[in-house]
């Protein structure tokens, strides 16, 4: 028997460390770590000990005998990885960085951003004795995209929060949530009160299409739509046009598939997740029956990962189709194109909702007067010729202009970071220039603001290790300035939320969820979140 990674995992390498025979790759330090779609178990060397399942924070590993029909393709996916990446060197790797032999007693660090990157950075710092870390975030709740970006029907991925709860429980850790740097506190305040500041603010905005009609009601970003159905307090009350039968998603990465899946999902199934109650109510009355996902390039270049496509193809109550398979793309070129070709050959079931994948299609204009009614697209394909002998060939490309009727258009073409006041910013890459995470001694970056919007949740762990290593190098070299202020407890504002306040919010959401048979029922209004965080306020779990 072998264990199998069954989806796009968090890739934080906990399983790699737990494996006694080093059969899970790529590992930190190896080519591809942080860039591959998932980690893979080598069935030839797996000894069936199950240590990986205990270590995995998102329950992504299963014995092959326990795989469902939808998960069986992952058995071959794990095995096939080692055909091209044999990893014949089986020497176990030292994945835990050695504790630095330097004095860290009294070291105070501020981390700005309570998402995965910020919390992994806090974890790396707190491995050293005497360090205190205060994590700031403008929202009343932590965990960033792990809370407000992961789709609600991916509850297994959301289990990564167990790692973050362990970080929060370490001595020396504290929160200052509901605190916006630049409004409630300033960069200079953080430098005054700490030896160093790590910015892990992510990429909070989305990229624009730059076409006519983009500002019409009914045209929005998938980033905001995802925040809406996840109960983000800045977006929970946003109205979306779900009164038409077709929606279009522009872009074909994993976020695009998430949005298409939620728009076509059975609301009764979603009601067992932590989806926002407001979004669930809107989806119950939605008239959307078809979601068209547009990709600018061909099937082989699709941005979504193979594990996400496998999960989409396994839906048993929604038709997943590929429209007009390109004749010049070999169906068996890669596992991804092979699966897409299979979807192209499927026959739709009458009456079902459906997701349609279109390739080599780019948006030209969003149509409508006072709201979206459709969009004009340009489809490209090979130009067909005849050499005079009756033999058809292809030279160059041809373009066809089409109109797609739709009441909702969502762009899912990537995240982009905002400049951080007081720090340099590269407008081309949307990142803060740095060296190994060091902007300058005392100021550092981690996560997407450091490397751009790439990688998986676990990628932030190795990213944070590099940044913290640079910080400790500067400490050892005497380059950090001692704080002159009163420390993490000084300053602030009356509505700042600490660890106890977050735990009160967390417990209320979970308690209400238990009453409804759900993981949690999110509080989506900022004022309600503040009220739940106040320890003097006696509150009972909310009921449906």
């Amino acid at each position: 028997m072998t264990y199998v990674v069954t989806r796009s995992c968090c890739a934080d390498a906990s399983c790699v460390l737990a494996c006694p025979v080093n059969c899970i790759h790529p590992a930190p330090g190896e080519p591809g770590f942080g860039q591959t779609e998932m980690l893979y178990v080598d069935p030839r060397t797996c000894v069936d000990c199950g240590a990986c399942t205990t270590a995995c924070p998102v329950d992504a590993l299963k014995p092959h005998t326990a795989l469902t029909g939808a998960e069986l393709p992952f058995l071959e996916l794990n095995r096939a990885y080692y055909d091209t990446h044999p990893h014949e060197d089986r020497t176990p790797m030292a994945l835990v960085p050695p504790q630095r032999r330097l004095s860290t007693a009294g070291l105070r660090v501020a981390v700005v951003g309570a998402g995965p990157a910020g919390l992994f950075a806090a974890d790396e710092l707190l491995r050293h004795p005497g360090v205190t870390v205060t994590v700031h975030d403008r929202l009343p709740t932590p965990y960033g995209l792990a809370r407000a970006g992961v789709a609600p029907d991916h509850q297994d991925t959301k289990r990564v929060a167990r790692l973050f709860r362990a970080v929060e429980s370490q001595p020396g850790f504290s929160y200052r949530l509901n605190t916006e740097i630049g409004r409630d506190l300033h960069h200079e305040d953080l430098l005054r009160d700490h030896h160093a500041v790590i910015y892990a603010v992510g990429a909070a905005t989305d990229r624009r299409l730059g076409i006519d009609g983009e500002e019409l009601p009914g045209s929005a970003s998938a980033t905001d739509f995802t925040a809406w159905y996840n109960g983000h307090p800045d977006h929970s009350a946003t109205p979306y046009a779900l009164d038409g039968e077709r929606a279009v998603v522009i872009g074909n990465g994993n976020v695009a598939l998430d949005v298409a899946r939620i728009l076509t999902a059975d609301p009764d199934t979603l009601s067992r997740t932590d989806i926002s109650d407001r979004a669930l109510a809107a989806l119950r009355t939605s008239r959307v029956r078809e979601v068209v996902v547009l990709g600018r390039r061909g099937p082989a270049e699709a941005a979504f990962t193979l594990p996400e496509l496998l999960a989409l193809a396994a839906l048993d109550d929604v038709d997943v189709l590929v429209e007009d398979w390109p004749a010049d793309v070999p169906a068996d070129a890669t596992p991804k194109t092979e699966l897409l070709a299979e979807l192209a050959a499927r026959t739709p079931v009458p009456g079902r909702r459906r997701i349609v994948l279109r390739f080599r299609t780019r948006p030209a204009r969003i149509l409508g007067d006072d709201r979206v009614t459709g969009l004009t697209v340009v489809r490209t394909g090979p130009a067909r010729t005849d050499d005079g002998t009756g033999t058809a060939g292809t030279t160059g490309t041809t373009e066809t202009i089409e109109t797609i009727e739709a009441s909702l258009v969502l762009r899912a073409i990537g995240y982009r970071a905002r400049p951080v006041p007081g720090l340099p910013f590269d407008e081309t890459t949307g990142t803060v220039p740095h060296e190994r995470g060091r902007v300058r001694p005392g100021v550092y970056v981690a996560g997407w603001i450091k490397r751009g919007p790439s990688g998986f949740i676990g990628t932030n762990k190795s990213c944070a290790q590099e940044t913290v290593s640079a910080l400790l190098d500067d400490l050892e070299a005497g380059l950090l300035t001692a704080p002159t202020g009163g420390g993490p407890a000084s300053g602030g504002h009356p509505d700042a939320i600490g660890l106890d306040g977050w735990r009160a919010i967390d417990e209320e959401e979970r308690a209400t969820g238990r009453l409804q048979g759900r993981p949690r029922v999110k509080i989506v209004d900022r004022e309600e979140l503040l009220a739940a965080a106040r320890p003097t306020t006696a509150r009972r779990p909310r009921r449906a």
Side-chain angles (χ1 to χ4, degrees):
M1 185 172 74
T2 181
Y3 279 78
V4 182
V5 179
T6 59
R7 58 182 172 272
S8 294
C9 56
C10 73
D12 83 325
S14 298
C15 58
V16 181
L17 178 62
C19 178
V21 293
N22 197 26
C23 76
I24 305 175
H25 296 271
E30 294 178 341
F33 180 75
Q35 282 77 50
T36 56
E37 298 176 343
M38 52 189 275
L39 303 184
Y40 304 87
V41 176
D42 186 349
R44 298 169 299 176
T45 53
C46 176
V47 294
D48 187 26
C49 68
C52 56
T53 61
T54 302
C56 179
V58 296
D59 297 338
L61 284 134
K62 287 186 177 182
H64 84 270
T65 52
L67 298 178
T68 65
E71 293 168 337
L72 282 174
F74 286 95
L75 180 61
E76 172 60 18
L77 189 62
N78 279 247
R79 187 207 63 76
Y81 170 79
Y82 291 91
D83 288 343
T84 52
H85 305 84
H87 291 287
E88 294 175 350
D89 180 6
R90 294 292 174 176
T91 303
M93 301 178 63
L95 300 180
V96 178
Q99 192 175 89
R100 303 283 288 268
R101 292 184 176 274
L102 70 165
S103 175
T104 53
L107 178 65
R108 300 205 302 251
V109 181
V111 175
V112 181
L119 290 172
F120 279 130
D123 186 38
E124 292 301 319
L125 286 162
L126 293 170
R127 295 175 187 272
H128 302 276
V131 179
T132 58
V133 178
T134 303
V135 178
H136 302 72
D137 202 285
R138 71 178 190 84
L139 293 177
T141 57
Y143 305 168
L145 289 180
R147 176 179 169 97
V150 176
D153 59 346
H154 280 2
Q155 288 298 310
D156 42 14
T157 303
K158 287 176 179 280
R159 292 190 187 110
V160 73
R162 293 183 294 194
L163 286 177
F164 304 147
R165 285 194 288 273
V167 175
E168 296 167 349
S169 299
Q170 296 184 60
F173 180 94
S174 64
Y175 272 135
R176 186 178 279 168
L177 304 173
N178 196 46
T179 301
E180 185 172 345
I181 306 304
R183 185 193 66 184
D184 304 309
L185 286 174
H186 297 276
H187 177 65
E188 295 75 15
D189 300 324
L190 299 178
L191 291 176
R192 183 191 66 235
D193 287 351
H194 303 84
H195 291 85
V197 182
I198 298 176
Y199 284 91
V201 293
T205 60
D206 62 287
R207 296 172 60 189
R208 308 286 291 180
L209 293 168
I211 61 175
D212 289 343
E214 192 170 7
E215 303 302 326
L216 281 170
S219 168
S221 76
T223 303
D224 292 349
F225 188 75
T226 299
W228 169 70
Y229 62 62
N230 271 310
H232 190 296
D234 291 349
H235 301 278
S236 64
T238 304
Y240 286 95
L242 304 180
D243 54 347
E245 293 193 355
R246 181 182 292 117
V248 174
V249 182
I250 300 170
N252 60 8
N254 286 349
V255 172
L257 297 194
D258 282 348
V259 168
R261 203 176 58 252
I262 295 300
L263 280 169
T264 55
D266 180 354
D268 287 340
T269 299
L270 292 176
S271 70
R272 297 189 289 273
T273 74
D274 65 346
I275 191 171
S276 157
D277 281 350
R278 291 175 181 170
L280 181 61
L283 290 168
R284 285 194 183 281
T285 61
S286 170
R287 295 183 57 206
V288 174
R289 304 294 299 175
E290 178 181 272
V291 179
V292 179
V293 180
L294 304 182
R296 184 181 295 268
R297 297 185 294 173
E301 295 79 31
F304 49 69
T305 60
L306 180 57
E308 287 298 320
L309 181 62
L310 283 167
L312 193 74
L315 295 175
D316 57 9
D317 58 348
V318 176
D319 282 332
V320 180
L321 310 168
V322 173
E323 188 173 274
D324 296 337
W325 180 262
D328 60 335
V329 177
D332 58 352
T334 67
K336 185 183 290 185
T337 57
E338 187 174 355
L339 179 53
L340 287 169
E342 177 190 319
L343 295 176
R346 286 187 178 181
T347 301
V349 177
R352 270 190 181 176
R353 293 179 295 273
R354 63 182 195 167
I355 297 171
V356 180
L357 307 180
R358 277 195 185 187
F359 297 97
R360 296 180 178 171
T361 304
R362 69 178 188 273
R365 182 179 183 181
I366 298 177
L367 305 174
D369 294 324
D370 55 357
R371 59 169 290 176
V372 169
T373 58
L375 71 161
T376 301
V377 299
V378 179
R379 303 188 70 176
T380 61
R384 299 204 166 274
T385 62
D386 191 312
D387 63 6
T389 66
T391 302
T394 60
T395 57
T397 60
T398 184
E399 293 188 342
T400 304
I401 298 176
E402 299 180 9
T403 297
I404 303 175
E405 293 183 2
S407 60
L408 177 66
V409 175
L410 299 171
R411 59 184 180 275
I413 56 174
Y415 294 91
R416 181 173 173 81
R418 296 190 183 104
V420 179
L423 273 62
F425 190 73
D426 186 327
E427 290 288 350
T428 301
T429 62
T431 61
V432 170
H434 66 92
E435 181 183 351
R436 294 174 49 239
R438 179 192 296 107
V439 181
R440 57 181 179 267
V443 181
Y444 308 84
V445 287
W448 282 0
I449 192 65
K450 170 186 173 183
R451 66 181 193 274
S454 63
F456 306 96
I457 290 175
T459 309
N460 293 295
K461 187 170 187 176
S462 54
C463 176
Q465 287 173 348
E466 180 185 63
T467 295
V468 170
S469 178
L471 186 156
L472 295 178
D473 285 345
D474 291 345
L475 173 66
E476 188 172 25
L479 299 177
L480 301 185
T481 301
T484 59
S490 69
H493 63 102
D495 285 333
I497 294 174
L499 178 57
D500 288 343
W502 157 238
R503 285 176 170 168
I505 293 170
D506 184 46
E507 176 51 34
E508 178 168 337
E509 291 184 341
R510 288 170 174 272
T512 307
R514 286 191 292 270
L515 293 174
Q516 300 182 24
R518 301 169 63 183
R520 68 173 65 237
V521 176
K522 287 180 178 174
I523 304 172
V524 300
D525 290 309
R526 189 177 288 266
E527 288 305 315
E528 287 191 26
L529 285 164
L530 295 179
R534 295 179 184 125
T536 57
T537 304
R539 296 169 62 90
R540 289 185 295 180
R542 294 162 291 137
R543 298 183 182 272

